[in-house]
Amino acid sequence: MARKGKKRSIQVWGCDLEDGTKITNNDDGIVSVIVNGDHSVTITDMNNVQKIVEGARWVSYVPRQN
């Protein structure tokens, strides 16, 4: 049965984008990566500032398992 409603955002180790590039939490200046239900990507930098990456749309991601 498919889940109904709004898809939630998930904090991940990294994600692959539609254009073939990757964003990971090991990239310079990036502390965390969040994939959103609308396929946008949000990053948090070293100053704890969150921002949506312009034009980035994720196609797959590596989930965090804590």
Side-chain angles (χ1 to χ4, degrees):
M1 176 182 235
R3 185 169 47 141
K4 295 182 181 179
K6 184 178 177 185
K7 294 182 181 181
R8 63 189 180 102
S9 299
I10 303 170
Q11 189 170 6
V12 297
W13 293 117
C15 63
D16 295 320
L17 305 178
E18 286 180 335
D19 64 1
T21 60
K22 295 182 180 189
I23 297 176
T24 69
N25 64 337
N26 292 328
D27 293 344
D28 289 336
I30 297 177
V31 175
S32 70
V33 180
I34 300 170
V35 293
N36 303 307
D38 63 356
H39 284 263
S40 63
V41 179
T42 303
I43 60 168
T44 305
D45 67 15
M46 294 184 298
N47 297 320
N48 203 27
V49 175
Q50 283 189 349
K51 64 179 178 178
I52 295 177
V53 180
E54 293 293 323
R57 295 191 44 83
W58 64 268
V59 292
S60 66
Y61 61 87
V62 180
R64 292 181 96 145
Q65 297 176 349
N66 296 340

Coordinates of all heavy atoms in Angstrom, one line a residue:
M1 N 0.8 -1.2 0.0 CA 0.0 0.0 0.0 C 0.9 1.2 0.0 O 1.8 1.4 0.8 CB -0.9 0.0 1.2 CG -1.7 1.2 1.4 SD -2.7 1.1 2.9 CE -4.3 1.3 2.2
A2 N 0.6 2.1 -0.9 CA 1.4 3.4 -1.0 C 1.1 4.3 0.1 O -0.1 4.4 0.6 CB 1.2 4.0 -2.3
R3 N 2.1 5.0 0.6 CA 1.9 6.0 1.7 C 1.3 7.3 1.1 O 1.8 7.8 0.0 CB 3.3 6.3 2.3 CG 3.1 7.2 3.5 CD 4.4 7.2 4.3 NE 5.6 7.4 3.5 CZ 6.6 8.2 3.8 NH1 6.6 8.8 4.9 NH2 7.6 8.3 3.0
K4 N 0.4 7.8 1.8 CA -0.3 9.1 1.3 C 0.2 10.2 2.1 O 0.6 10.1 3.2 CB -1.8 9.0 1.4 CG -2.4 7.9 0.5 CD -3.9 7.9 0.6 CE -4.4 6.8 -0.3 NZ -5.8 6.7 -0.2
G5 N 0.1 11.4 1.5 CA 0.5 12.6 2.2 C 1.8 13.2 1.8 O 2.5 12.7 0.9
K6 N 2.3 14.2 2.6 CA 3.5 14.8 2.2 C 4.7 14.0 2.6 O 4.8 13.3 3.6 CB 3.6 16.1 3.0 CG 4.8 17.0 2.8 CD 4.8 18.3 3.6 CE 6.0 19.0 3.3 NZ 6.1 20.2 4.1
K7 N 5.7 13.9 1.6 CA 6.9 13.2 1.9 C 7.8 14.0 2.7 O 7.9 15.2 2.6 CB 7.6 12.9 0.5 CG 6.8 11.9 -0.3 CD 7.6 11.6 -1.6 CE 6.8 10.7 -2.5 NZ 7.5 10.4 -3.7
R8 N 8.5 13.4 3.7 CA 9.3 14.1 4.6 C 10.7 14.2 4.1 O 11.2 13.5 3.3 CB 9.3 13.4 6.0 CG 9.9 12.0 6.0 CD 9.6 11.3 7.3 NE 10.2 10.0 7.3 CZ 11.3 9.6 7.8 NH1 12.0 10.5 8.5 NH2 11.7 8.4 7.8
S9 N 11.4 15.2 4.7 CA 12.9 15.4 4.4 C 13.7 14.4 5.2 O 13.3 14.0 6.4 CB 13.3 16.8 4.8 OG 12.5 17.7 4.1
I10 N 14.8 13.9 4.7 CA 15.6 12.9 5.3 C 17.1 13.4 5.3 O 17.6 13.8 4.2 CB 15.6 11.6 4.5 CG1 14.1 11.1 4.5 CG2 16.4 10.6 5.2 CD1 13.9 9.9 3.5
Q11 N 17.8 13.4 6.4 CA 19.2 13.7 6.5 C 19.9 12.5 6.0 O 19.7 11.3 6.4 CB 19.6 14.0 7.9 CG 21.0 14.6 8.0 CD 21.3 15.2 9.4 OE1 20.5 15.1 10.3 NE2 22.5 15.8 9.5
V12 N 20.9 12.7 5.1 CA 21.6 11.6 4.4 C 23.1 11.8 4.4 O 23.6 12.9 4.7 CB 21.1 11.4 3.0 CG1 19.6 11.0 2.9 CG2 21.3 12.6 2.1
W13 N 23.9 10.8 4.1 CA 25.3 10.9 3.9 C 25.7 11.6 2.6 O 26.7 12.3 2.6 CB 26.0 9.6 4.0 CG 25.9 8.9 5.3 CD1 25.3 7.7 5.5 CD2 26.5 9.3 6.5 NE1 25.5 7.3 6.8 CE2 26.2 8.3 7.5 CE3 27.2 10.4 6.9 CZ2 26.6 8.4 8.8 CZ3 27.6 10.5 8.2 CH2 27.3 9.5 9.2
G14 N 24.9 11.5 1.6 CA 25.1 12.1 0.3 C 24.1 11.7 -0.7 O 23.2 10.8 -0.4
C15 N 24.1 12.4 -1.8 CA 23.1 12.1 -2.8 C 23.6 12.3 -4.2 O 24.6 13.1 -4.4 CB 21.8 12.9 -2.6 SG 22.1 14.7 -2.8
D16 N 23.1 11.6 -5.2 CA 23.4 11.7 -6.6 C 22.3 12.6 -7.2 O 21.1 12.5 -6.9 CB 23.3 10.4 -7.3 CG 24.4 9.4 -6.8 OD1 25.5 9.9 -6.6 OD2 24.1 8.2 -6.7
L17 N 22.8 13.5 -8.1 CA 21.9 14.5 -8.7 C 21.6 14.1 -10.1 O 22.3 13.3 -10.7 CB 22.5 15.9 -8.7 CG 23.0 16.4 -7.3 CD1 23.6 17.8 -7.4 CD2 21.8 16.4 -6.3
E18 N 20.5 14.7 -10.7 CA 20.1 14.5 -12.1 C 21.2 14.7 -13.1 O 21.3 14.0 -14.1 CB 18.9 15.3 -12.4 CG 17.6 14.9 -11.8 CD 16.4 15.8 -12.2 OE1 16.6 16.9 -12.5 OE2 15.3 15.3 -12.1
D19 N 22.1 15.7 -12.8 CA 23.1 16.0 -13.8 C 24.3 15.1 -13.7 O 25.3 15.4 -14.4 CB 23.5 17.5 -13.7 CG 24.1 17.9 -12.3 OD1 24.3 17.0 -11.5 OD2 24.5 19.0 -12.1
G20 N 24.3 14.1 -12.8 CA 25.4 13.2 -12.7 C 26.4 13.5 -11.6 O 27.3 12.8 -11.4
T21 N 26.3 14.7 -11.0 CA 27.2 15.0 -9.9 C 26.7 14.5 -8.5 O 25.6 14.0 -8.5 CB 27.4 16.6 -9.8 OG1 26.1 17.2 -9.5 CG2 28.0 17.1 -11.1
K22 N 27.5 14.7 -7.5 CA 27.2 14.2 -6.2 C 27.4 15.3 -5.2 O 28.3 16.1 -5.4 CB 28.1 13.0 -5.8 CG 27.9 11.8 -6.6 CD 28.7 10.6 -6.1 CE 28.5 9.4 -7.0 NZ 29.2 8.2 -6.4
I23 N 26.6 15.3 -4.1 CA 26.8 16.1 -3.0 C 26.9 15.2 -1.8 O 26.1 14.4 -1.5 CB 25.7 17.1 -2.8 CG1 25.5 18.1 -3.9 CG2 25.9 17.9 -1.5 CD1 24.4 19.0 -3.9
T24 N 28.0 15.3 -1.0 CA 28.2 14.5 0.2 C 28.5 15.4 1.4 O 29.0 16.6 1.2 CB 29.3 13.5 0.1 OG1 30.6 14.1 0.0 CG2 29.1 12.6 -1.2
N25 N 28.4 14.9 2.6 CA 28.8 15.7 3.8 C 30.3 15.8 3.9 O 30.8 16.4 4.8 CB 28.2 15.1 5.0 CG 28.6 13.7 5.4 OD1 29.1 13.0 4.5 ND2 28.5 13.3 6.6
N26 N 31.1 15.1 3.1 CA 32.6 15.2 3.1 C 33.1 16.4 2.1 O 34.2 16.6 2.1 CB 33.2 13.9 2.6 CG 33.0 12.8 3.7 OD1 32.9 13.1 4.9 ND2 32.9 11.6 3.2
D27 N 32.2 17.0 1.4 CA 32.6 18.1 0.5 C 33.0 19.3 1.4 O 32.5 19.5 2.5 CB 31.4 18.5 -0.4 CG 31.1 17.4 -1.4 OD1 31.9 16.5 -1.6 OD2 29.9 17.5 -2.0
D28 N 33.9 20.1 0.8 CA 34.4 21.3 1.6 C 33.2 22.2 2.0 O 32.4 22.6 1.2 CB 35.3 22.1 0.7 CG 36.7 21.4 0.5 OD1 37.0 20.5 1.4 OD2 37.4 21.6 -0.5
G29 N 33.2 22.5 3.3 CA 32.2 23.5 3.8 C 30.8 22.9 4.1 O 30.0 23.6 4.6
I30 N 30.6 21.6 3.8 CA 29.3 21.0 4.0 C 29.3 20.1 5.2 O 30.2 19.2 5.3 CB 28.8 20.2 2.7 CG1 28.6 21.2 1.5 CG2 27.5 19.5 3.0 CD1 28.2 20.5 0.3
V31 N 28.4 20.4 6.1 CA 28.3 19.6 7.3 C 27.3 18.5 7.2 O 27.5 17.4 7.7 CB 28.0 20.5 8.6 CG1 27.8 19.7 9.8 CG2 29.2 21.5 8.8
S32 N 26.1 18.8 6.6 CA 25.1 17.8 6.4 C 24.3 18.1 5.1 O 24.3 19.2 4.6 CB 24.1 17.8 7.6 OG 23.3 19.0 7.6
V33 N 23.7 17.0 4.7 CA 22.9 17.0 3.4 C 21.5 16.5 3.7 O 21.4 15.5 4.4 CB 23.6 16.1 2.3 CG1 22.8 16.1 1.0 CG2 25.0 16.5 2.1
I34 N 20.5 17.2 3.3 CA 19.1 16.8 3.5 C 18.4 16.7 2.1 O 18.5 17.6 1.3 CB 18.4 17.8 4.4 CG1 19.0 17.9 5.7 CG2 16.9 17.4 4.5 CD1 18.5 19.0 6.6
V35 N 17.8 15.5 1.8 CA 17.0 15.4 0.6 C 15.5 15.6 1.0 O 15.1 15.1 2.0 CB 17.2 14.0 -0.1 CG1 18.6 13.9 -0.6 CG2 16.9 12.9 0.9
N36 N 14.9 16.4 0.2 CA 13.5 16.8 0.5 C 12.5 16.0 -0.4 O 12.9 15.5 -1.4 CB 13.3 18.3 0.3 CG 14.3 19.1 1.1 OD1 14.3 18.9 2.3 ND2 15.0 20.0 0.5
G37 N 11.3 15.9 0.1 CA 10.3 15.1 -0.6 C 10.0 15.6 -2.0 O 9.6 14.9 -2.9
D38 N 10.3 16.9 -2.3 CA 10.1 17.4 -3.7 C 11.3 17.3 -4.6 O 11.4 17.9 -5.6 CB 9.6 18.9 -3.6 CG 10.7 19.8 -3.0 OD1 11.8 19.3 -2.5 OD2 10.5 21.0 -2.9
H39 N 12.3 16.5 -4.1 CA 13.5 16.2 -4.8 C 14.5 17.3 -4.8 O 15.5 17.3 -5.6 CB 13.3 15.7 -6.2 CG 12.8 14.2 -6.2 ND1 13.6 13.2 -6.4 CD2 11.6 13.7 -6.0 CE1 13.0 12.1 -6.4 NE2 11.7 12.4 -6.1
S40 N 14.3 18.3 -4.0 CA 15.3 19.4 -3.8 C 16.3 18.9 -2.8 O 16.1 18.0 -2.1 CB 14.7 20.7 -3.4 OG 14.0 20.6 -2.2
V41 N 17.5 19.6 -2.7 CA 18.5 19.3 -1.7 C 18.8 20.5 -0.9 O 19.0 21.6 -1.4 CB 19.8 18.8 -2.5 CG1 20.9 18.5 -1.5 CG2 19.5 17.7 -3.4
T42 N 18.9 20.3 0.4 CA 19.3 21.3 1.4 C 20.6 20.9 2.0 O 20.8 19.8 2.4 CB 18.2 21.4 2.5 OG1 16.9 21.7 1.9 CG2 18.5 22.6 3.4
I43 N 21.5 21.9 2.1 CA 22.8 21.6 2.8 C 22.9 22.6 4.0 O 22.3 23.6 4.1 CB 24.0 21.8 1.9 CG1 24.0 23.3 1.3 CG2 24.0 20.8 0.7 CD1 25.3 23.6 0.6
T44 N 23.7 22.1 5.0 CA 24.1 22.9 6.1 C 25.6 23.1 6.1 O 26.3 22.2 6.0 CB 23.7 22.2 7.5 OG1 22.3 21.9 7.4 CG2 23.9 23.1 8.6
D45 N 26.0 24.4 6.2 CA 27.4 24.7 6.1 C 28.1 24.7 7.5 O 27.4 24.5 8.5 CB 27.7 26.0 5.3 CG 27.2 27.2 6.0 OD1 26.9 27.2 7.2 OD2 27.1 28.2 5.3
M46 N 29.3 25.0 7.6 CA 30.1 25.0 8.9 C 29.6 26.1 9.8 O 29.8 26.0 11.0 CB 31.6 25.2 8.6 CG 32.2 24.0 7.9 SD 34.0 24.2 7.7 CE 34.1 25.7 6.7
N47 N 28.9 27.1 9.3 CA 28.3 28.2 10.2 C 26.9 27.9 10.6 O 26.2 28.8 11.1 CB 28.4 29.5 9.5 CG 29.8 29.9 9.2 OD1 30.7 29.7 10.0 ND2 30.0 30.5 8.0
N48 N 26.5 26.6 10.4 CA 25.1 26.2 10.7 C 24.0 26.9 10.0 O 22.9 27.2 10.5 CB 24.9 26.3 12.2 CG 23.8 25.3 12.7 OD1 23.5 24.3 12.1 ND2 23.1 25.7 13.8
V49 N 24.3 27.3 8.7 CA 23.4 28.0 7.9 C 22.8 27.0 6.9 O 23.6 26.3 6.1 CB 24.0 29.2 7.1 CG1 23.1 29.8 6.1 CG2 24.6 30.2 8.1
Q50 N 21.5 26.8 6.8 CA 20.9 25.9 5.9 C 20.5 26.7 4.6 O 20.0 27.8 4.7 CB 19.7 25.2 6.5 CG 19.9 24.2 7.4 CD 18.7 23.4 7.8 OE1 17.6 23.8 7.5 NE2 18.9 22.3 8.5
K51 N 20.7 26.0 3.5 CA 20.2 26.6 2.2 C 19.9 25.6 1.2 O 20.5 24.5 1.2 CB 21.2 27.6 1.7 CG 22.6 27.0 1.2 CD 23.5 28.1 0.7 CE 24.8 27.5 0.3 NZ 25.7 28.4 -0.3
I52 N 19.0 25.9 0.4 CA 18.6 24.9 -0.7 C 19.5 25.1 -1.9 O 19.8 26.3 -2.2 CB 17.1 25.2 -1.2 CG1 16.2 24.8 0.0 CG2 16.8 24.4 -2.4 CD1 14.7 25.1 -0.3
V53 N 20.1 24.1 -2.4 CA 21.0 24.1 -3.5 C 20.2 24.4 -4.8 O 19.3 23.6 -5.2 CB 21.8 22.8 -3.7 CG1 22.7 22.9 -4.8 CG2 22.5 22.5 -2.4
E54 N 20.5 25.6 -5.4 CA 19.7 26.0 -6.6 C 19.9 25.0 -7.8 O 21.1 24.7 -8.1 CB 20.2 27.4 -7.0 CG 19.9 28.5 -6.1 CD 18.4 28.7 -6.0 OE1 17.7 28.6 -7.0 OE2 17.9 29.0 -4.8
G55 N 18.8 24.6 -8.3 CA 18.9 23.7 -9.5 C 19.2 22.3 -9.3 O 19.3 21.5 -10.2
A56 N 19.5 21.9 -8.0 CA 19.9 20.5 -7.7 C 18.6 19.7 -7.4 O 17.8 20.1 -6.6 CB 20.8 20.5 -6.5
R57 N 18.5 18.6 -8.1 CA 17.4 17.6 -7.9 C 18.0 16.2 -7.7 O 18.7 15.8 -8.6 CB 16.4 17.7 -9.1 CG 15.7 19.0 -9.2 CD 14.6 19.1 -10.1 NE 13.6 18.0 -10.1 CZ 12.6 17.9 -9.2 NH1 12.5 18.7 -8.3 NH2 11.8 16.8 -9.3
W58 N 17.8 15.6 -6.6 CA 18.4 14.3 -6.3 C 17.6 13.2 -7.0 O 16.4 13.3 -7.2 CB 18.4 14.1 -4.8 CG 17.1 14.0 -4.1 CD1 16.5 15.0 -3.5 CD2 16.4 12.8 -3.9 NE1 15.3 14.5 -2.9 CE2 15.2 13.2 -3.1 CE3 16.5 11.5 -4.2 CZ2 14.2 12.3 -2.8 CZ3 15.5 10.6 -3.9 CH2 14.4 11.0 -3.1
V59 N 18.3 12.1 -7.4 CA 17.7 10.9 -7.9 C 17.9 9.7 -7.1 O 17.2 8.8 -7.1 CB 18.3 10.6 -9.4 CG1 17.8 11.7 -10.3 CG2 19.8 10.5 -9.4
S60 N 19.0 9.7 -6.2 CA 19.2 8.6 -5.3 C 20.1 9.2 -4.1 O 20.7 10.2 -4.2 CB 19.9 7.4 -5.9 OG 21.2 7.8 -6.3
Y61 N 20.0 8.5 -3.0 CA 20.8 8.9 -1.8 C 21.3 7.8 -1.0 O 20.8 6.7 -1.1 CB 19.9 9.9 -1.0 CG 18.7 9.3 -0.4 CD1 18.7 8.6 0.8 CD2 17.5 9.4 -1.1 CE1 17.5 8.1 1.3 CE2 16.3 8.9 -0.6 CZ 16.3 8.2 0.6 OH 15.2 7.7 1.1
V62 N 22.3 8.1 -0.1 CA 22.8 7.1 0.8 C 22.2 7.4 2.2 O 22.6 8.5 2.7 CB 24.3 7.1 0.8 CG1 24.9 6.1 1.8 CG2 24.9 6.9 -0.6
P63 N 21.3 6.6 2.7 CA 20.7 7.0 4.0 C 21.7 6.9 5.2 O 22.6 6.1 5.2 CB 19.6 6.0 4.1 CG 20.0 4.8 3.3 CD 20.9 5.4 2.2
R64 N 21.4 7.7 6.2 CA 22.2 7.6 7.5 C 21.5 6.5 8.3 O 20.3 6.5 8.4 CB 22.1 8.9 8.2 CG 22.9 10.0 7.5 CD 22.9 11.2 8.3 NE 24.0 11.3 9.1 CZ 24.7 12.4 9.4 NH1 24.2 13.6 9.0 NH2 25.8 12.4 10.1
Q65 N 22.3 5.8 9.0 CA 21.8 4.8 9.9 C 22.5 4.9 11.2 O 23.7 4.5 11.4 CB 22.0 3.4 9.4 CG 21.2 3.1 8.1 CD 21.4 1.8 7.5 OE1 22.3 1.1 7.9 NE2 20.6 1.5 6.5
N66 N 21.9 5.6 12.2 CA 22.5 5.8 13.5 C 22.0 4.9 14.5 O 20.9 4.5 14.6 CB 22.3 7.3 13.9 CG 23.0 8.3 13.0 OD1 23.8 7.9 12.3 ND2 22.5 9.5 13.0

